[in-house]
Amino acid sequence: MMRFYSLVGVLLLLCMLSFAQSKQITGKVTDQKDGSPLPGVTVKVKDLKEGSVTNPDGTFKLNVNESAATLVFSFIGYADQEVPVSGRNVINVSMVSSSKDISEVVVVGYGTQRKRDVTGSISKINAAEIEDIPVPSFDQAIQGKAAGVVIESGSGKVGQGIKIRIRGTSSISASSQPLYIVDGMPVESSLQTDANNEVTNPLVDINPNDIESVEVLKDASAAAIYGARASNGVVLVTTKKGKLNQKTVFNLDVNTSWAKPTKKRGFLNAKQYVDLFLEAAVNDGKTDFANQDSGYDTEKAAIDDYTQYYESFLDRYSLGTDWRKQAVDVNWEDQVYRDVARSNQVNLSATGGNEKTRFFVSGFYSGQDAIVINNKFTRYGARLSLDHAATDKLTIGINMSINRSQLDRVTDDNSFSTPGQLVAQLPISPLIDPETGKPNGRTLYDNGLLDALYDTDKQVTFRTLGNIYAAYNFLPWLNFRSELGTDIVNMNEDYFKSKLSQDGAGIGRGQSINAQSISLNTNNFFTITPDLGGKHKLNMVLGMSYLQNDNRSASIQAEGYPSDAVKNLSGATTVTFGSSDNYRYTFLSYFFRANYSYNDKYLAGFSVRADGSSRFGPDSRYGYFPAGSLGWVISQEDFLKESKALSFLKLRVSAGLTGNAEIGESRFLSLYDITNYPNLPGFQPATIGNPDLKWEKTFQIDGGLEFGFLNNRISGEVDVYKKKTTDLLLSVNIPQTTGYANIYQNLGKMENKGVEFSLTTRNLEGAFKWTTIFNIAYNKNKITDLKGQIINTGVQRAVEGEAIGSFFLPRFAGADPQTGVALYIDSSGKTTTDFSRSPNVIVGNSNPDFTGGFTNNFSYKGFDLSVFFTFVSGNSIYNRAGIYQTTGFANGLDNQTHDIMNRWQKPGDITDVPKVSLSYGTGGEATSRYIYNGSYIRLKNLTLGYNLPKKAISALKIQGIKVYAAAYNLWTKTHYISDPEVNTAPLASDTNTSNNTSGGVDFYTIPQARTFTLGLNVRF
C-alpha cells in the first residue's frame, strides 16, 4: 500500500511540474476579408505535431509549453500564418485568403499535397473563380484561368460540345480531350447522341456552384498516376464538403440574367441588295457582249436582256410586293435571335458538422435561354456530401449528385433549317406570305422559321454521379481507402419534324433515341507516411483501380404524320428505320507514387502506373507509364534564408510517360456490318482489324521555377515543356482495292513545346485591397512523322512538318484593277486569273500561339470588384460561309455582308473584293480570301459586389448578405468580322480525327452571348 501511495505522489508531482511549465493560450481566428469566424483552423506550436482546431465560433484553446515561441495557423485556402507567443495568453488572428499561396493545399491523384512540396506542374482554380458565371458548364468558367489550358466554346448555342486542349493537341485520330475526375471518379465526357446533329456537352451536368476547386494536372509528373488516359492532361474536380465543429450554415444564391449576341455580322438592306443585284446584271451584260457569248448586237441590248432576266428573280422572291420601292425590307439576321435571352438560377446549400460528422447538401435550378431562337437549357438537381468518423480509425462517407437536364436543340450549323442560315434569305422576301397569310415557305432557301415554329427536338438527361468510401487508419502512418463510384447517364432524345416545316418535307418525320452509359469505378489504395525522424519526410501511395463502362443505345425513325396533334412515334404511319447497339470497355490499373523531402528543401517524386485496357488485343493490352521529378527549394538554403526580398524560390524538373487509349472500341478486330435487305439478312465486311494495335504514348519533360518576393506579395511560376507523342493511333489510308478505306495503326509522331508563365501580385493591402493575377502560355504544335500520310478534313489537314489543323488553300491576290476579276497566286508566285493554276498551300493555322488571362480584384469596405480579361493570339479563322456571303453572287443569290460595298466597280479600283456578277462571278472558290486573323482580347467577366454591413443585418440573425451585378463577354477587340470565339461544331458521327484536325471554322455559327446578371447571396 505504501508503494501505491508513493507512486501516486510521484505522479501528482510530475503533473504539478508539468502544469508549472505549461500554460493555456486562447483566442479567435477570423477571415480578414469580412471578419467572419473560421472554424476548423489548425493551431499548433511550430515544429510540433500536437495541436488544436478552432470551434464553430472561431475560438480555440491550446496548452503549450512555456518555451513555445511560435504558433502556426493553417487552413485550406488561406495562407499559413505564424504568430510569436511572446508571453501572451490571448492571441487573435485574422487569416488572409490566398488561393495562390505556396502553403495552399492542392489536390493530386489519390491524395493532396502542399503547393510548396509539389514537384509537378499543377494549376488550381478555386470556387470563387467559377461561381455565379452565366455559363452552363464549369469547363467554360475556367477559360483563361490556367496557363496552357485552351478552351473553345464553339458558339452561342447552349449545351453544345466544348473543345479543351491542355498544352496542345496530342493526337490525330484518338481523342485529345483531357481526363475528368470528379471526387476520384472518372466521368464520361464524350457522350454523343443524334449522329446527324452536333455533339453535346455531358459536363453540363456538374453544377459549378458545387465545386470547391479544380486542379489541372499538366505535366507527366502530375498526370502519370492516371497513366493510359493522361496524355491530354487531367482535370481534377473537388466538390464542396462540410466542416467539422461548425453549426449549420445555409447559403442561398439567386440571380437572373439578360443576354444578346456579342456581335451581329450585318447584311444588306433591301435597297442595297437590289442595287447590287442590278449592278451584277450590268456587269454580266457587258461581259457577255465583250466575249460575244450570246451574240448580242449592242452592249445595251445585252445589259437590258440581263437586267430583265435578273429582275425576274426579284419578282419571284418578293412574292408580288414592290421591290423597286422596297415595300418589303426584312432584316433576316434579326430573326435568328431572341429579343432578349433570359436566364434564372437558384442555388441553396447547407453545410456544417460536429466533432465526428460533417456534411454538405445542396439543390439547384437553372433555366437558360440561348440567344438563338428555340435553343434552351434547363436543369435541376441535388448533391450530398457526408463524412463520418465511425471510430478513431474508421471514416466513411458518400458524395452523390442527381441531376435532370433538358436541352431544347436546334439543328447543326450545316443545315438549312438551322436559324443561323436565315441570314442568306433575300431582304425583299416577306416574313409572311401575302397569299396564305402564313410564314413564307417560298424563300430562296428553306425558311428556318418554319422549322422553329413547328418542329421540336428535346434531349432529356438523367445523371447520377458519385461514390462511397471507407478509410481506415491501421497505424498513424498507414491508411487504407476504398472507393466505389458510379456515373449513370440516361439520355432520351425525341425530335419531331412537322409536315408544315421544310425538314418535315410535307409528310412529317420523327425520331426517338435512347442512350444509356453506366460507369462503375473502384479505387483501393494505401497511403503510407512513415515517421523517418529528423529532416526526412516520405509519402507513398500504392493501389489499384478498375473501371467498367457499359453503353447501350437504340434509335427509331418514322414518317407519315397525318397531324401535329400527336408528335411521338405512335402518330406516324410508317417506321422507316431502327437500330440498336451496345458495347463495353474496361480498364484494370495498378499504381504507385512516392514523394520524398529532405529538410523541406530537397524534393523528389516518382510514380508508375500499369494499365490494361479491353480496347487492345491480348498481346498489347497492358501499358506501363512511369514518371519522376525533382525539386529544390532554393530559398531554404542558408545563403538565401535570411533574404528580406526573396520569400520563396523553388526549381523543379520532371519527365515521364503517359498514354492515350481513346479510340473507341474493338479497333484491333476485323468487324462486320449487318445487311438489311428485305428478307435477305446477312453480313458484310466493315473494318479491318490490327491485332498489334497498342497504346499511343506521350513522353513529356518539364522544367519549372516558382518564386515569391516581399512576403509573397509577388509570386508566380514559369514552366518550359516539351511533349513528344509516338505510336500515334492513326486512321491510316489504305488502297480501296482492299475493300477498306483505312485501318488503325500505331504510326506517326507529333510534338508540342511551349512556355507558361503566371504571376500573382498583392498590390495593395489594408482597407483597400488590389490583387492582380496574370497568366500567358505559348505552344507550338508540329507533326514530325506520318510516313507520307496526309489526313484531310475539308480545308484543313494533318501533314508532316506542319501544325495539326493547318488551313490548306489556294492563295487569293485580290481583284484585277483593270477588269475586277479575282486574282490568285500560281505555283511560281505570280498572279493569275486561272483558279486551276493556283496550288493549295498552308495559309493559316487554327491553333493559337499565345493564350492567357488577366484578372484584377479590388475590395474596399464591403465592396468588391473583379475584372477578368482573356486573350488569344496567332490563330486563324476560316469563314467557310464567305463563299456565299461576300462573293457578289458568284455562288448564288444569297444576301451579302457589308464588306461587299468595297467591291471593284471601275478600272483603276484597288480592292480585295472582285466585281459583282451572277453569271460570270469570280472569287467564289475556297481560298485564303476567307482566312482571317483570329486574335482577340475580351473582357470576359466583370463583377461588382457589395456585402451589407454586419450591423445592418445583425437584427435579422443573418450572417451575410451580398448583392452583385456581373457582365459576361462585355467587350471584345478583334480583327475578325464576327465573334472570334467561334468553331462550327462537328457532328456526333464525326471521328476524333475531325475534332483534332478541324478548328477555327465559322459556318453560319452563332456568336457568343453578351450577358448581364443581377444576383443576391444570403448566408444564414
Side-chain angles (χ1 to χ4, degrees), residues 125-164:
I125 302 100
N126 283 298
E129 299 179 71
I130 58 178
E131 289 177 336
D132 304 321
I133 297 178
V135 291
S137 60
F138 80 90
D139 46 348
Q140 288 175 273
I142 66 175
Q143 183 177 8
K145 300 287 187 180
V149 181
V150 180
I151 299 175
E152 293 182 9
S153 299
S155 78
K157 297 178 185 177
V158 294
Q160 303 304 110
I162 303 295
K163 183 177 179 180
I164 298 181

mmCIF file of all heavy atoms in Angstrom, residues 125-164:
data_model
loop_
_atom_site.group_PDB
_atom_site.id
_atom_site.type_symbol
_atom_site.label_atom_id
_atom_site.label_comp_id
_atom_site.label_asym_id
_atom_site.label_seq_id
_atom_site.Cartn_x
_atom_site.Cartn_y
_atom_site.Cartn_z
ATOM 1 N N ILE A 125 -7.792 26.275 -59.707
ATOM 2 C CA ILE A 125 -8.828 27.306 -59.791
ATOM 3 C C ILE A 125 -9.788 27.066 -58.638
ATOM 4 O O ILE A 125 -10.325 25.960 -58.484
ATOM 5 C CB ILE A 125 -9.591 27.246 -61.130
ATOM 6 C CG1 ILE A 125 -8.627 27.417 -62.314
ATOM 7 C CG2 ILE A 125 -10.654 28.313 -61.186
ATOM 8 C CD1 ILE A 125 -8.235 26.142 -62.985
ATOM 9 N N ASN A 126 -9.988 28.094 -57.812
ATOM 10 C CA ASN A 126 -10.839 27.956 -56.642
ATOM 11 C C ASN A 126 -12.295 28.269 -56.954
ATOM 12 O O ASN A 126 -12.630 28.811 -58.014
ATOM 13 C CB ASN A 126 -10.347 28.863 -55.510
ATOM 14 C CG ASN A 126 -9.133 28.281 -54.811
ATOM 15 O OD1 ASN A 126 -9.202 27.203 -54.225
ATOM 16 N ND2 ASN A 126 -8.012 28.983 -54.896
ATOM 17 N N ALA A 127 -13.151 27.927 -55.987
ATOM 18 C CA ALA A 127 -14.596 28.053 -56.172
ATOM 19 C C ALA A 127 -15.011 29.466 -56.546
ATOM 20 O O ALA A 127 -15.875 29.670 -57.410
ATOM 21 C CB ALA A 127 -15.322 27.598 -54.910
ATOM 22 N N ALA A 128 -14.410 30.461 -55.910
ATOM 23 C CA ALA A 128 -14.825 31.848 -56.139
ATOM 24 C C ALA A 128 -14.621 32.273 -57.584
ATOM 25 O O ALA A 128 -15.262 33.216 -58.059
ATOM 26 C CB ALA A 128 -14.053 32.778 -55.205
ATOM 27 N N GLU A 129 -13.725 31.591 -58.298
ATOM 28 C CA GLU A 129 -13.418 31.971 -59.669
ATOM 29 C C GLU A 129 -14.399 31.397 -60.687
ATOM 30 O O GLU A 129 -14.378 31.789 -61.844
ATOM 31 C CB GLU A 129 -11.995 31.527 -60.022
ATOM 32 C CG GLU A 129 -10.924 32.155 -59.142
ATOM 33 C CD GLU A 129 -9.532 31.672 -59.497
ATOM 34 O OE1 GLU A 129 -9.049 32.061 -60.571
ATOM 35 O OE2 GLU A 129 -8.949 30.903 -58.714
ATOM 36 N N ILE A 130 -15.237 30.454 -60.278
ATOM 37 C CA ILE A 130 -16.146 29.824 -61.232
ATOM 38 C C ILE A 130 -17.614 29.899 -60.811
ATOM 39 O O ILE A 130 -18.493 29.505 -61.579
ATOM 40 C CB ILE A 130 -15.767 28.344 -61.473
ATOM 41 C CG1 ILE A 130 -15.777 27.555 -60.152
ATOM 42 C CG2 ILE A 130 -14.416 28.237 -62.147
ATOM 43 C CD1 ILE A 130 -15.450 26.085 -60.324
ATOM 44 N N GLU A 131 -17.892 30.408 -59.627
ATOM 45 C CA GLU A 131 -19.275 30.515 -59.173
ATOM 46 C C GLU A 131 -19.978 31.682 -59.852
ATOM 47 O O GLU A 131 -19.373 32.716 -60.161
ATOM 48 C CB GLU A 131 -19.326 30.708 -57.652
ATOM 49 C CG GLU A 131 -18.945 29.477 -56.863
ATOM 50 C CD GLU A 131 -18.942 29.737 -55.363
ATOM 51 O OE1 GLU A 131 -18.784 30.907 -54.966
ATOM 52 O OE2 GLU A 131 -19.081 28.784 -54.603
ATOM 53 N N ASP A 132 -21.263 31.516 -60.056
ATOM 54 C CA ASP A 132 -22.164 32.595 -60.484
ATOM 55 C C ASP A 132 -21.763 33.222 -61.821
ATOM 56 O O ASP A 132 -22.069 34.380 -62.097
ATOM 57 C CB ASP A 132 -22.245 33.691 -59.413
ATOM 58 C CG ASP A 132 -22.674 33.139 -58.066
ATOM 59 O OD1 ASP A 132 -23.549 32.257 -58.061
ATOM 60 O OD2 ASP A 132 -22.138 33.574 -57.041
ATOM 61 N N ILE A 133 -21.075 32.463 -62.658
ATOM 62 C CA ILE A 133 -20.787 32.898 -64.022
ATOM 63 C C ILE A 133 -21.862 32.303 -64.924
ATOM 64 O O ILE A 133 -22.125 31.100 -64.858
ATOM 65 C CB ILE A 133 -19.381 32.454 -64.460
ATOM 66 C CG1 ILE A 133 -18.328 33.127 -63.580
ATOM 67 C CG2 ILE A 133 -19.129 32.796 -65.921
ATOM 68 C CD1 ILE A 133 -16.911 32.719 -63.894
ATOM 69 N N PRO A 134 -22.509 33.104 -65.780
ATOM 70 C CA PRO A 134 -23.668 32.619 -66.547
ATOM 71 C C PRO A 134 -23.292 31.737 -67.734
ATOM 72 O O PRO A 134 -23.518 32.070 -68.889
ATOM 73 C CB PRO A 134 -24.332 33.924 -67.000
ATOM 74 C CG PRO A 134 -23.214 34.900 -67.100
ATOM 75 C CD PRO A 134 -22.261 34.548 -65.995
ATOM 76 N N VAL A 135 -22.654 30.603 -67.441
ATOM 77 C CA VAL A 135 -22.360 29.600 -68.458
ATOM 78 C C VAL A 135 -22.895 28.270 -67.947
ATOM 79 O O VAL A 135 -22.962 28.038 -66.739
ATOM 80 C CB VAL A 135 -20.857 29.498 -68.738
ATOM 81 C CG1 VAL A 135 -20.352 30.757 -69.428
ATOM 82 C CG2 VAL A 135 -20.054 29.255 -67.463
ATOM 83 N N PRO A 136 -23.283 27.372 -68.851
ATOM 84 C CA PRO A 136 -23.921 26.135 -68.393
ATOM 85 C C PRO A 136 -22.968 25.105 -67.821
ATOM 86 O O PRO A 136 -23.409 24.181 -67.137
ATOM 87 C CB PRO A 136 -24.604 25.600 -69.668
ATOM 88 C CG PRO A 136 -23.846 26.198 -70.795
ATOM 89 C CD PRO A 136 -23.358 27.525 -70.310
ATOM 90 N N SER A 137 -21.657 25.196 -68.067
ATOM 91 C CA SER A 137 -20.758 24.165 -67.586
ATOM 92 C C SER A 137 -19.491 24.780 -67.010
ATOM 93 O O SER A 137 -19.054 25.850 -67.435
ATOM 94 C CB SER A 137 -20.392 23.193 -68.719
ATOM 95 O OG SER A 137 -19.756 23.873 -69.782
ATOM 96 N N PHE A 138 -18.894 24.075 -66.045
ATOM 97 C CA PHE A 138 -17.740 24.614 -65.332
ATOM 98 C C PHE A 138 -16.532 24.743 -66.244
ATOM 99 O O PHE A 138 -15.660 25.586 -66.017
ATOM 100 C CB PHE A 138 -17.395 23.720 -64.134
ATOM 101 C CG PHE A 138 -16.605 22.488 -64.484
ATOM 102 C CD1 PHE A 138 -15.219 22.511 -64.488
ATOM 103 C CD2 PHE A 138 -17.243 21.306 -64.809
ATOM 104 C CE1 PHE A 138 -14.488 21.377 -64.808
ATOM 105 C CE2 PHE A 138 -16.523 20.168 -65.129
ATOM 106 C CZ PHE A 138 -15.140 20.206 -65.127
ATOM 107 N N ASP A 139 -16.421 23.907 -67.295
ATOM 108 C CA ASP A 139 -15.253 23.979 -68.163
ATOM 109 C C ASP A 139 -15.191 25.313 -68.894
ATOM 110 O O ASP A 139 -14.111 25.847 -69.153
ATOM 111 C CB ASP A 139 -15.217 22.805 -69.147
ATOM 112 C CG ASP A 139 -16.556 22.546 -69.801
ATOM 113 O OD1 ASP A 139 -17.565 23.106 -69.356
ATOM 114 O OD2 ASP A 139 -16.603 21.769 -70.773
ATOM 115 N N GLN A 140 -16.361 25.889 -69.235
ATOM 116 C CA GLN A 140 -16.356 27.214 -69.829
ATOM 117 C C GLN A 140 -15.940 28.275 -68.813
ATOM 118 O O GLN A 140 -15.315 29.273 -69.161
ATOM 119 C CB GLN A 140 -17.744 27.552 -70.375
ATOM 120 C CG GLN A 140 -18.119 26.771 -71.627
ATOM 121 C CD GLN A 140 -19.538 27.055 -72.060
ATOM 122 O OE1 GLN A 140 -20.480 26.419 -71.603
ATOM 123 N NE2 GLN A 140 -19.693 28.011 -72.943
ATOM 124 N N ALA A 141 -16.291 28.038 -67.538
ATOM 125 C CA ALA A 141 -15.991 29.029 -66.496
ATOM 126 C C ALA A 141 -14.496 29.130 -66.209
ATOM 127 O O ALA A 141 -14.036 30.153 -65.689
ATOM 128 C CB ALA A 141 -16.749 28.684 -65.211
ATOM 129 N N ILE A 142 -13.697 28.091 -66.527
ATOM 130 C CA ILE A 142 -12.273 28.143 -66.228
ATOM 131 C C ILE A 142 -11.466 28.662 -67.418
ATOM 132 O O ILE A 142 -10.232 28.711 -67.357
ATOM 133 C CB ILE A 142 -11.732 26.764 -65.791
ATOM 134 C CG1 ILE A 142 -11.795 25.756 -66.953
ATOM 135 C CG2 ILE A 142 -12.491 26.248 -64.585
ATOM 136 C CD1 ILE A 142 -11.168 24.413 -66.607
ATOM 137 N N GLN A 143 -12.144 29.078 -68.487
ATOM 138 C CA GLN A 143 -11.437 29.596 -69.651
ATOM 139 C C GLN A 143 -10.566 30.789 -69.275
ATOM 140 O O GLN A 143 -11.010 31.744 -68.663
ATOM 141 C CB GLN A 143 -12.439 30.007 -70.731
ATOM 142 C CG GLN A 143 -11.813 30.507 -72.014
ATOM 143 C CD GLN A 143 -12.849 30.823 -73.068
ATOM 144 O OE1 GLN A 143 -14.048 30.800 -72.795
ATOM 145 N NE2 GLN A 143 -12.405 31.125 -74.272
ATOM 146 N N GLY A 144 -9.287 30.714 -69.641
ATOM 147 C CA GLY A 144 -8.352 31.800 -69.359
ATOM 148 C C GLY A 144 -7.824 31.837 -67.938
ATOM 149 O O GLY A 144 -7.026 32.708 -67.597
ATOM 150 N N LYS A 145 -8.249 30.892 -67.089
ATOM 151 C CA LYS A 145 -7.839 30.914 -65.680
ATOM 152 C C LYS A 145 -6.550 30.157 -65.417
ATOM 153 O O LYS A 145 -5.898 30.383 -64.398
ATOM 154 C CB LYS A 145 -8.951 30.299 -64.814
ATOM 155 C CG LYS A 145 -10.289 31.006 -64.895
ATOM 156 C CD LYS A 145 -10.277 32.327 -64.172
ATOM 157 C CE LYS A 145 -11.662 32.943 -64.116
ATOM 158 N NZ LYS A 145 -11.684 34.238 -63.420
ATOM 159 N N ALA A 146 -6.175 29.226 -66.317
ATOM 160 C CA ALA A 146 -4.990 28.399 -66.105
ATOM 161 C C ALA A 146 -4.099 28.461 -67.332
ATOM 162 O O ALA A 146 -4.565 28.239 -68.459
ATOM 163 C CB ALA A 146 -5.396 26.947 -65.799
ATOM 164 N N ALA A 147 -2.824 28.753 -67.122
ATOM 165 C CA ALA A 147 -1.888 28.848 -68.237
ATOM 166 C C ALA A 147 -1.785 27.511 -68.957
ATOM 167 O O ALA A 147 -1.668 26.456 -68.335
ATOM 168 C CB ALA A 147 -0.518 29.275 -67.726
ATOM 169 N N GLY A 148 -1.847 27.553 -70.286
ATOM 170 C CA GLY A 148 -1.702 26.351 -71.089
ATOM 171 C C GLY A 148 -2.970 25.578 -71.329
ATOM 172 O O GLY A 148 -2.952 24.559 -72.027
ATOM 173 N N VAL A 149 -4.086 26.044 -70.777
ATOM 174 C CA VAL A 149 -5.374 25.374 -70.967
ATOM 175 C C VAL A 149 -6.199 26.207 -71.942
ATOM 176 O O VAL A 149 -6.597 27.330 -71.630
ATOM 177 C CB VAL A 149 -6.125 25.200 -69.633
ATOM 178 C CG1 VAL A 149 -7.448 24.480 -69.855
ATOM 179 C CG2 VAL A 149 -5.260 24.450 -68.638
ATOM 180 N N VAL A 150 -6.443 25.668 -73.134
ATOM 181 C CA VAL A 150 -7.152 26.380 -74.190
ATOM 182 C C VAL A 150 -8.548 25.791 -74.320
ATOM 183 O O VAL A 150 -8.711 24.580 -74.498
ATOM 184 C CB VAL A 150 -6.407 26.278 -75.534
ATOM 185 C CG1 VAL A 150 -7.156 27.025 -76.626
ATOM 186 C CG2 VAL A 150 -4.992 26.831 -75.398
ATOM 187 N N ILE A 151 -9.561 26.661 -74.237
ATOM 188 C CA ILE A 151 -10.952 26.226 -74.291
ATOM 189 C C ILE A 151 -11.650 26.942 -75.438
ATOM 190 O O ILE A 151 -11.606 28.162 -75.535
ATOM 191 C CB ILE A 151 -11.677 26.514 -72.964
ATOM 192 C CG1 ILE A 151 -10.992 25.759 -71.826
ATOM 193 C CG2 ILE A 151 -13.150 26.136 -73.049
ATOM 194 C CD1 ILE A 151 -11.541 26.072 -70.466
ATOM 195 N N GLU A 152 -12.264 26.165 -76.333
ATOM 196 C CA GLU A 152 -13.039 26.713 -77.435
ATOM 197 C C GLU A 152 -14.512 26.453 -77.164
ATOM 198 O O GLU A 152 -14.957 25.306 -77.187
ATOM 199 C CB GLU A 152 -12.626 26.086 -78.767
ATOM 200 C CG GLU A 152 -11.216 26.433 -79.205
ATOM 201 C CD GLU A 152 -10.865 25.828 -80.553
ATOM 202 O OE1 GLU A 152 -11.767 25.282 -81.219
ATOM 203 O OE2 GLU A 152 -9.690 25.902 -80.944
ATOM 204 N N SER A 153 -15.254 27.512 -76.895
ATOM 205 C CA SER A 153 -16.671 27.360 -76.596
ATOM 206 C C SER A 153 -17.481 27.023 -77.841
ATOM 207 O O SER A 153 -18.560 26.456 -77.755
ATOM 208 C CB SER A 153 -17.209 28.640 -75.943
ATOM 209 O OG SER A 153 -16.540 28.887 -74.730
ATOM 210 N N GLY A 154 -16.979 27.416 -79.005
ATOM 211 C CA GLY A 154 -17.635 26.999 -80.245
ATOM 212 C C GLY A 154 -18.653 27.978 -80.749
ATOM 213 O O GLY A 154 -18.504 28.541 -81.815
ATOM 214 N N SER A 155 -19.727 28.192 -79.976
ATOM 215 C CA SER A 155 -20.791 29.077 -80.445
ATOM 216 C C SER A 155 -21.622 29.541 -79.273
ATOM 217 O O SER A 155 -21.400 29.143 -78.129
ATOM 218 C CB SER A 155 -21.680 28.348 -81.464
ATOM 219 O OG SER A 155 -22.596 27.475 -80.822
ATOM 220 N N GLY A 156 -22.609 30.384 -79.578
ATOM 221 C CA GLY A 156 -23.505 30.903 -78.562
ATOM 222 C C GLY A 156 -24.682 29.994 -78.264
ATOM 223 O O GLY A 156 -25.547 30.346 -77.468
ATOM 224 N N LYS A 157 -24.716 28.822 -78.891
ATOM 225 C CA LYS A 157 -25.740 27.845 -78.518
ATOM 226 C C LYS A 157 -25.421 27.301 -77.126
ATOM 227 O O LYS A 157 -24.268 27.271 -76.712
ATOM 228 C CB LYS A 157 -25.764 26.693 -79.522
ATOM 229 C CG LYS A 157 -26.139 27.078 -80.946
ATOM 230 C CD LYS A 157 -26.078 25.870 -81.867
ATOM 231 C CE LYS A 157 -26.332 26.246 -83.305
ATOM 232 N NZ LYS A 157 -26.204 25.090 -84.223
ATOM 233 N N VAL A 158 -26.438 26.875 -76.418
ATOM 234 C CA VAL A 158 -26.223 26.290 -75.095
ATOM 235 C C VAL A 158 -26.268 24.778 -75.203
ATOM 236 O O VAL A 158 -26.979 24.210 -76.028
ATOM 237 C CB VAL A 158 -27.267 26.790 -74.075
ATOM 238 C CG1 VAL A 158 -27.089 28.268 -73.823
ATOM 239 C CG2 VAL A 158 -28.689 26.499 -74.545
ATOM 240 N N GLY A 159 -25.456 24.126 -74.347
ATOM 241 C CA GLY A 159 -25.462 22.673 -74.279
ATOM 242 C C GLY A 159 -24.611 21.976 -75.310
ATOM 243 O O GLY A 159 -24.566 20.751 -75.346
ATOM 244 N N GLN A 160 -23.902 22.741 -76.174
ATOM 245 C CA GLN A 160 -23.114 22.116 -77.210
ATOM 246 C C GLN A 160 -21.737 21.723 -76.682
ATOM 247 O O GLN A 160 -21.296 22.173 -75.640
ATOM 248 C CB GLN A 160 -22.964 23.046 -78.409
ATOM 249 C CG GLN A 160 -24.294 23.501 -78.999
ATOM 250 C CD GLN A 160 -25.196 22.339 -79.390
ATOM 251 O OE1 GLN A 160 -26.212 22.094 -78.754
ATOM 252 N NE2 GLN A 160 -24.808 21.605 -80.408
ATOM 253 N N GLY A 161 -21.045 20.870 -77.427
ATOM 254 C CA GLY A 161 -19.756 20.348 -77.014
ATOM 255 C C GLY A 161 -18.698 21.433 -76.889
ATOM 256 O O GLY A 161 -18.723 22.442 -77.589
ATOM 257 N N ILE A 162 -17.742 21.203 -76.001
ATOM 258 C CA ILE A 162 -16.647 22.122 -75.742
ATOM 259 C C ILE A 162 -15.338 21.423 -76.117
ATOM 260 O O ILE A 162 -15.157 20.237 -75.850
ATOM 261 C CB ILE A 162 -16.594 22.532 -74.262
ATOM 262 C CG1 ILE A 162 -17.924 23.162 -73.839
ATOM 263 C CG2 ILE A 162 -15.440 23.483 -74.005
ATOM 264 C CD1 ILE A 162 -18.239 24.456 -74.519
ATOM 265 N N LYS A 163 -14.445 22.168 -76.735
ATOM 266 C CA LYS A 163 -13.139 21.636 -77.106
ATOM 267 C C LYS A 163 -12.094 22.190 -76.154
ATOM 268 O O LYS A 163 -11.926 23.402 -76.048
ATOM 269 C CB LYS A 163 -12.802 22.019 -78.548
ATOM 270 C CG LYS A 163 -11.491 21.457 -79.073
ATOM 271 C CD LYS A 163 -11.308 21.842 -80.535
ATOM 272 C CE LYS A 163 -9.993 21.336 -81.106
ATOM 273 N NZ LYS A 163 -9.839 21.714 -82.533
ATOM 274 N N ILE A 164 -11.400 21.300 -75.429
ATOM 275 C CA ILE A 164 -10.399 21.709 -74.454
ATOM 276 C C ILE A 164 -9.073 21.045 -74.804
ATOM 277 O O ILE A 164 -9.023 19.837 -75.074
ATOM 278 C CB ILE A 164 -10.810 21.324 -73.023
ATOM 279 C CG1 ILE A 164 -12.115 22.044 -72.633
ATOM 280 C CG2 ILE A 164 -9.706 21.664 -72.027
ATOM 281 C CD1 ILE A 164 -12.576 21.738 -71.231
#
